[in-house]
Amino acid sequence: MIYLATTEEQAIAAINAAEAMALSNIQLLREMKSLLPSFARPLVEPAIRTNEESVRLVARAERGAVRKTSAATRRSRKNLSKALREANARLRKKNGQLKKGKTQADVMRLAQRLKKKM
């Protein structure tokens, strides 16, 4: 069985990747601080810390904003998947081509009708 990540998992993974990249950029700034003149170095660390905290805060807020798919939506998607299988079986030949005069739009219309009956 192939496991596909849900939309929520993909969104959270993208947020985590963006946070990691921002934090690595901040770390790079810390390492480059030694290249600055000595009078400017004490001013840089508070700015870097503030930036680091804001990156973490934004990432936490974004992760919290990701909504889980509702049970009704999951059920509806599952039913549409079953209906599409049935509609394709009815409107296609054994070799996989659509029957004469039928289009993909006909397949979707039939699937929606079948889903409504489920």
Side-chain angles (χ1 to χ4, degrees):
M1 185 173 137
I2 297 173
Y3 175 75
L4 298 174
T6 63
T7 309
E8 300 85 33
E9 291 167 341
Q10 290 173 353
I12 288 174
I15 292 165
N16 289 342
E19 180 186 22
M21 189 165 52
L23 291 175
S24 70
N25 288 342
I26 290 171
Q27 186 59 36
L28 183 65
L29 287 172
R30 264 203 184 98
E31 292 168 8
M32 293 176 63
K33 187 170 64 171
S34 63
L35 301 174
L36 293 172
S38 59
F39 69 88
R41 288 182 197 156
L43 305 173
V44 174
E45 187 57 35
I48 288 176
R49 251 192 315 251
T50 303
N51 198 350
E52 194 173 28
E53 289 171 16
S54 65
V55 165
R56 288 203 169 101
L57 185 70
V58 167
R60 189 178 322 121
E62 286 178 351
R63 277 192 289 270
V66 174
R67 289 176 48 200
K68 275 190 83 72
T69 307
S70 69
T73 302
R74 282 195 305 273
R75 189 169 42 254
S76 174
R77 287 179 184 167
K78 191 171 184 177
N79 286 342
L80 182 59
S81 179
K82 287 179 188 174
L84 275 166
R85 259 184 251 122
E86 173 67 25
N88 271 304
R90 284 190 198 179
L91 299 181
R92 290 185 184 270
K93 299 181 199 174
K94 284 187 178 181
N95 69 1
Q97 292 179 331
L98 285 167
K99 291 182 177 177
K100 186 175 180 184
K102 298 298 177 187
T103 64
Q104 185 60 42
D106 294 322
V107 174
M108 283 306 295
R109 266 192 290 273
L110 178 59
Q112 291 288 347
R113 215 173 302 129
L114 290 171
K115 179 186 142 201
K116 205 180 231 183
K117 291 181 180 180
M118 291 181 166

